[in-house]
Amino acid sequence: MNSQKRFEQLINKFVQNRCSKTESEELIRFLQQKDADLQLPSEDTVLSLLDSSNTIDEAKSNEIYQRILEVKTGQSKRRSIPKYWTSVAASIFVLISLGIYFMATTSEPQIHTLEKLVNQEHIILEMEDGTINVLDSLDHGQVVGVRGQSLGNVQNNRLTYDNDLRSEIPVYNTLKVPYGRKFELSLTDGTVVHVNAGSSLKYPVKFIDGLDRDVYLEGEAYFEVAHRSDQPFKVHMGGVGVEVLGTQFNATAFPENTQTDVVLVEGSVKLSAQDSFSNGKGAELLLQPGQMGTYTKNTEQITSQTVITDVYTRWVDGELIFRNLTFGEMLKKLERHFNIPIISNEDFVNREETFSANFGKESIDNVFAYLKEIYDLEYTIQDNKVIIN
């Protein structure tokens, strides 16, 4: 029997929970080899094998997952998933290596994509070729590029890039932070970025002389930008651009929000609608320290107001503060902060008033106890989710 047929046979038996210990070991070896010539079956093929009477053995699945991760690069271990595993075969790889398969009430199987599952649990770094590194496994460890070169080191929840990296063209990495987590980056120019839960930042591993320092944000981050008078630092996000030379500011651009906000702590920034510093279109506004610039997506207008900047930046220290949020926005922020799904009725989400509060570092139980007392809110917390009645 050739390798492809044997590989498919083992997958079929594993999905149906019929793999012996010897066969499981053989499947592990196939997956560890990461042979690009091996073709995984389609989702439809695997789904057709699933039967409500058969469930994948969780212990066996976890064993396979851990063994797959035991692939050495030089002297150190790293959790990485080559690009070809993350395309068509993504959900099948998750099914096999993570054992993530569960039956809905309709007894129909549901499978999440690899990236979604990783994002739910881990802080990941996506390399320029699509390779994914799970940074949680690299505490006090080295981050290695796709060509085997050292990019930097992870220590105390921060990735610090080596400032002596060599590159003649911009090569981008993308950091993705899941709900309930935060992470810090120290870029090659000395800029420090605090990335909030549920956010991603795309940036070059090295800033090239003569080119602007361009980064791309989805979500929320606090920037401490190193000053370079001859090399502007530009943040592209949510239909708006921010240009600085050296400053500290908070930027919020979650895709579900109706507006994009920039709160300036020190220095100065230029806020440009429709990324006007790239295409010469749209309104522009120069912010001063203590001001918040707001870009409204449906009108494409920029406004500013004076604010207490501390209110918008204390999330960096783990504090939870709401200021003039709708109840829908407030619930979404709670989901990101605590990494817990919240199911609400439309009456509560669509309340007309806005919500402001400072919860500091309170638990989710205390937050909802407060909401129950003030708004007569009925809710239950069960199975790692909040249900508002």
Side-chain angles (χ1 to χ4, degrees):
M1 182 180 298
N2 64 36
S3 297
Q4 179 63 41
K5 288 184 178 180
R6 180 56 177 165
F7 183 53
E8 292 174 358
Q9 183 185 73
L10 291 171
I11 289 177
N12 294 348
K13 295 188 71 172
F14 178 80
V15 170
Q16 298 176 76
N17 198 24
R18 295 191 295 110
C19 264
S20 66
K21 181 175 178 59
T22 300
E23 289 170 330
S24 295
E25 291 287 334
E26 187 178 358
L27 179 57
I28 289 169
R29 289 193 294 272
F30 268 117
L31 294 170
Q32 284 182 325
Q33 290 170 4
K34 307 187 297 299
D35 186 350
D37 292 329
L38 289 175
Q39 299 297 314
L40 279 89
S42 67
E43 284 191 46
D44 291 339
T45 300
V46 173
L47 293 177
S48 69
L49 297 169
L50 295 172
D51 185 282
S52 58
S53 62
N54 292 324
T55 57
I56 297 173
D57 186 279
E58 182 177 356
K60 191 180 296 179
S61 302
N62 288 336
E63 178 190 2
I64 289 179
Y65 175 54
Q66 293 301 323
R67 293 288 301 278
I68 292 167
L69 295 179
E70 294 174 7
V71 180
K72 294 190 176 182
T73 302
Q75 298 295 320
S76 62
K77 292 181 181 179
R78 66 187 185 113
R79 298 183 179 186
S80 62
I81 302 168
K83 187 176 183 179
Y84 69 84
W85 285 108
T86 67
S87 54
V88 178
S91 60
I92 309 302
F93 176 73
V94 172
L95 178 68
I96 296 168
S97 64
L98 298 179
I100 303 298
Y101 160 64
F102 57 92
M103 305 304 292
T105 55
T106 60
S107 296
E108 293 184 359
Q110 299 182 15
I111 301 177
H112 293 271
T113 64
L114 173 63
E115 183 172 322
K116 184 175 180 181
L117 282 167
V118 172
N119 279 338
Q120 287 178 349
E121 300 178 3
H122 300 290
I123 297 169
I124 68 172
L125 184 69
E126 183 175 333
M127 316 300 277
E128 68 267 26
D129 71 337
T131 299
I132 293 174
N133 286 275
V134 181
L135 295 185
D136 306 60
S137 65
L138 294 175
D139 191 28
H140 296 79
Q142 185 182 64
V143 175
V144 179
V146 296
R147 298 170 186 82
Q149 77 281 27
S150 173
L151 297 180
N153 289 276
V154 176
Q155 185 173 359
N156 299 327
N157 208 46
R158 173 187 282 202
L159 169 56
T160 301
Y161 280 83
D162 297 336
N163 57 19
D164 60 351
L165 290 173
R166 296 182 180 181
S167 180
E168 296 181 356
I169 59 173
V171 175
Y172 284 88
N173 285 179
T174 302
L175 177 76
K176 299 181 181 182
V177 181
Y179 284 12
R181 307 286 297 276
K182 299 189 300 292
F183 197 76
E184 297 178 19
L185 287 170
S186 180
L187 303 179
T188 54
D189 66 339
T191 292
V192 175
V193 187
H194 306 259
V195 184
N196 205 356
S199 304
S200 67
L201 184 71
K202 180 180 177 181
Y203 53 90
V205 298
K206 179 177 177 59
F207 294 110
I208 308 300
D209 292 341
L211 299 178
D212 293 338
R213 296 176 286 170
D214 291 294
V215 302
Y216 301 84
L217 172 68
E218 182 176 292
E220 184 170 31
Y222 182 80
F223 293 84
E224 302 173 39
V225 180
H227 182 80
R228 286 190 178 182
S229 59
D230 60 344
Q231 195 173 28
F233 191 99
K234 297 180 177 180
V235 182
H236 306 258
M237 58 178 191
V240 70
V242 179
E243 180 176 350
V244 306
L245 296 177
T247 187
Q248 295 187 30
F249 63 96
N250 194 77
T252 307
F254 288 104
E256 68 271 14
N257 289 0
T258 59
Q259 63 189 43
T260 298
D261 297 321
V262 175
V263 176
L264 183 61
V265 176
E266 63 178 52
S268 65
V269 304
K270 182 173 70 174
L271 195 61
S272 306
Q274 295 297 316
D275 261 355
S276 64
F277 56 61
S278 297
N279 57 33
K281 300 178 181 179
E284 295 184 350
L285 181 67
L286 190 66
L287 293 182
Q288 301 299 324
Q291 289 186 324
M292 178 172 70
T294 297
Y295 170 74
T296 304
K297 294 179 181 178
N298 60 352
T299 64
E300 299 184 1
Q301 297 298 310
I302 299 176
T303 58
S304 66
Q305 60 179 306
T306 300
V307 296
I308 300 173
T309 60
D310 197 39
V311 170
Y312 298 91
T313 61
R314 276 159 61 181
W315 65 262
V316 175
D317 297 317
E319 297 192 30
L320 181 64
I321 299 177
F322 301 105
R323 184 66 69 233
N324 298 324
L325 298 184
T326 66
F327 282 80
E329 291 170 338
M330 180 263 290
L331 293 180
K332 190 64 179 179
K333 190 168 183 176
L334 286 173
E335 285 187 323
R336 287 193 294 263
H337 186 81
F338 290 107
N339 188 24
I340 185 169
I342 300 175
I343 302 171
S344 176
N345 60 61
E346 291 186 2
D347 291 338
F348 184 78
V349 172
N350 295 330
R351 296 174 71 109
E352 293 184 359
E353 70 262 42
T354 58
F355 180 78
S356 297
N358 183 352
F359 289 109
K361 297 182 179 180
E362 293 286 352
S363 68
I364 192 169
D365 300 86
N366 290 342
V367 170
F368 272 90
Y370 171 84
L371 294 175
K372 179 178 181 179
E373 179 180 351
I374 301 300
Y375 296 101
D376 195 26
L377 181 69
E378 294 297 328
Y379 70 95
T380 56
I381 299 179
Q382 61 183 27
D383 299 327
N384 198 37
K385 63 184 175 183
V386 177
I387 302 173
I388 298 176
N389 303 317

